[in-house]
Structure formats: C-alpha cells, structure tokens
Amino acid sequence: MKYLLLSLLSLTLSLGTIAQSTDEEMKTKEVNDSILQARNLVVPGTFNAERALIQLFPGRFYQRDKKLVINWTCSSCKAIAYEDANGDMTDPKFPFENGVATRLINEMDFRDASGKAYKVISFNHSEFDADGLQMVRFQGGVLGLAKFVLTDEGWKLRMFTPVIGGFGSFSQAPAPKPLQIGEDQYAFVVRHSNGAGGDAYYATSYLVAGINGVYKVIMSAPDVEKTNDPASGWTYSIATDGDKKQFRDIVITIKGTWVQDDAEVLPKELLPLIKGKAKGQFTAIQKFVYNGRYYTQQGAATVSVK
C-alpha cells in the first residue's frame, strides 16, 4: 500500500508538471515490452482515463492542445503487423521504429444486468515527432481499447488490445461508438472515412468486439457513406435486430442521393432500378449475420428509389 500511495503521489505531481511545459520540444522514453502484454493493473479511486492511459503506456507525457500525449519507444517489443484501412502503407508494423505518440480518444461507461460497472477507453497511436504533428494524409491512427471493471481494489484491467488496426486519416483514428449486440455484450462501431483532397470521401463501417479476450474487427461494410461531393451523397445508420443472447443480427440502412457515376460503389441491387436514369434518391437496407467468426451480409439488400 505504501508503494502504491507513493506511485500515485508521483503521478499526480507529474500531471501537474506537464501542464506547465506545453511549448517544449517533446521527447520519448524507453519502455519495456510488458506494455503490449496482458498484465495485472488496477486504477484505484475514481476512474481517470488519462491516469489509466499513463499506467498502460508509462512513457514521457505532455499536454498538447489541452490533451495528453504519451511518447515512448520500445526496442525490446516484438513488432506487430496490422492492417491500415487506407491500404496505402506497405507492411505496417507496430510499435513504430522512431517512437510512438499515444493519445486518449474517448471513455465509455457500461453496466451489466447485475449492476457491475465497467469503463472502456479507446486510444490512438501515431508516429512520434517532436512537434506533436499528425500530418500523413493517408495513414490511419492505430486504434486500441482497454476495458476495466470496478472491484473492491479499484478499476481492474479486464481486457486490453493495444493494436486493433489503422483507421481514419492524418494518423487519427475515429472515436468508437458502443453498440449493444447481446445481453451484457457490446461492440464498437468505427467509421473510417478518407479521400483525396477535393474528391468524394467514402466511409466503411467497421464493428470491433471482444472475442476470447481480444478486441478484433468482426464486420466491415464498405461505401455506406459518401460525403464531400455536391452532386450526390448518402449517410447510414446501424442497429441490431432480433433477440439473440449474443451476436445479434446487424442492420445497416443507407439513404441519400445518387448519380450515374456512383454505379460502382452503390449496392448492386440498386443497379437495375437506376438504369437509364441520371440521378435520384435511394434507400438500401443490408442485414449482417454472425457466422461464428465474422459478420457477413445475409441475402440481397432491400432497396428502393425515387
């Protein structure tokens, strides 16, 4: 207990210090490979997402734009291959060779049917640079998740996946949004959108869930949204269907306007309905069913046009 109190005091003093040195050039700190492994970790007292992130990644930390940035290198870490949703990187691996900058994305609260409380934090890894800039247009931020459960000792780490995949642009992953897919079972919707400057942006909706103690992508639905084009565009919503105890069916509803140039990215079921027409409005409803490993689309999309 004595050492725990001393550690908390040191952490509190450090958090106070970094707020006073926001303009200095940032540096990294060498850490050991245990940060990417399962471990026993407890956040005592009232849950603080930034404090939890520092315990997960105990590098050198700063405040930039009123947000915590943790910079670290790990020469002993075994590189982990991951996929970037942009598809432009060649054989991406984590941790980055020149260091990592880790930032908090969001904090989510849950309770199960028994009333037990949980916290899930999402965080973003990008390549370290001393100025704290994230400038690579077609590189996603590496997304990670950590789940804590409230116990008598404090908030105990229950599930931790430091690398799920790369999403978004400018090395910044989008904020995951929770979706209840079963009894006391939540997944996280990740909307990945990108495109060249001045061109349309297309979004893929990913679903991330905990499987056998690891968070992983279990669904991807491409081209469910189009933005940044004055000629046409569409948006989507995602919901569950049915009352399965676990892994309920997923329904994605897409609505918007189309022009003939959109034919390659529209649901194929729409093509016979828009043939010979220049533009119009449409609705497409897609259903996804879990097959034991992944969600796949079941049957044809239900479509209508105006």
Side-chain angles (χ1 to χ4, degrees), residues 1 6 38 60 72 75 111 113 116 125 150 170 180 194 224 228 233 235-236 238 243-244 260 265 268 294 302 306:
M1 179 61 73
L6 288 173
R60 191 182 298 271
W72 52 278
S75 57
R111 284 188 181 273
K116 188 177 290 293
H125 305 295
L150 183 58
F170 293 108
Q180 188 170 1
N194 208 346
V224 294
N228 200 43
T235 59
Y236 78 101
I238 184 168
D243 57 359
K244 294 179 182 177
Q260 274 296 325
V265 293
K268 64 181 184 298
Y294 206 75
T302 302
K306 293 182 181 180

Side-chain angles (χ1 to χ4, degrees), residues 45-199:
T46 302
F47 188 83
N48 180 289
E50 289 190 342
R51 187 173 67 191
L53 193 62
I54 291 172
Q55 288 185 251
L56 288 169
F57 301 98
R60 191 182 298 271
F61 47 95
Y62 299 83
Q63 291 281 359
R64 281 293 187 272
D65 300 323
K66 299 181 180 180
K67 294 182 179 181
L68 176 71
V69 183
I70 307 172
N71 298 319
W72 52 278
T73 55
C74 182
S75 57
S76 62
C77 286
K78 182 178 179 180
I80 302 171
Y82 71 93
E83 291 186 14
D84 190 295
N86 294 287
D88 281 13
M89 297 179 67
T90 302
D91 193 26
K93 288 185 172 60
F94 183 87
F96 304 115
E97 186 175 352
N98 295 322
V100 180
T102 298
R103 294 168 168 86
L104 180 72
I105 301 177
N106 66 353
E107 172 187 335
M108 294 164 279
D109 297 283
F110 304 96
R111 284 188 181 273
D112 62 20
S114 69
K116 188 177 290 293
Y118 298 87
K119 299 277 189 179
V120 175
I121 62 171
S122 66
F123 42 88
N124 182 89
H125 305 295
S126 57
E127 295 188 71
F128 166 77
D129 68 85
D131 293 326
L133 301 176
Q134 295 167 287
M135 298 296 293
V136 184
R137 179 70 178 86
F138 291 102
Q139 181 172 319
V142 177
L143 174 68
L145 290 170
K147 180 181 181 180
F148 297 82
V149 59
L150 183 58
T151 68
D152 292 339
E153 304 170 75
W155 293 91
K156 187 172 184 179
L157 183 63
R158 173 65 63 85
M159 192 182 304
F160 174 53
T161 305
V163 181
I164 297 170
F167 307 94
S169 60
F170 293 108
S171 300
Q172 299 176 49
K177 296 183 178 180
L179 177 70
Q180 188 170 1
I181 62 171
E183 295 179 13
D184 296 333
Q185 183 191 24
Y186 284 85
F188 303 93
V189 179
V190 178
R191 172 189 166 274
H192 165 79
S193 180
N194 208 346
D199 288 345

Side-chain angles (χ1 to χ4, degrees), residues 3-41:
Y3 296 109
L4 176 60
L5 291 174
L6 288 173
S7 297
L8 288 175
L9 176 60
S10 174
L11 180 59
T12 300
L13 291 173
S14 298
L15 284 171
T17 301
I18 62 172
Q20 301 171 16
S21 56
T22 57
D23 296 327
E24 67 179 274
E25 183 177 273
M26 293 194 292
K27 300 177 181 179
T28 64
K29 177 182 176 181
E30 179 73 17
V31 298
N32 62 54
D33 58 7
S34 64
I35 67 166
L36 300 183
Q37 301 170 7
R39 59 196 136 136
N40 293 320
L41 189 154

Side-chain angles (χ1 to χ4, degrees), residues 196-223:
D199 288 345
Y201 291 4
Y202 296 93
T204 296
S205 185
Y206 292 92
L207 194 66
V208 173
I211 308 291
N212 297 324
V214 177
Y215 287 112
K216 60 179 64 178
V217 173
I218 60 171
M219 190 188 85
S220 64
D223 303 322

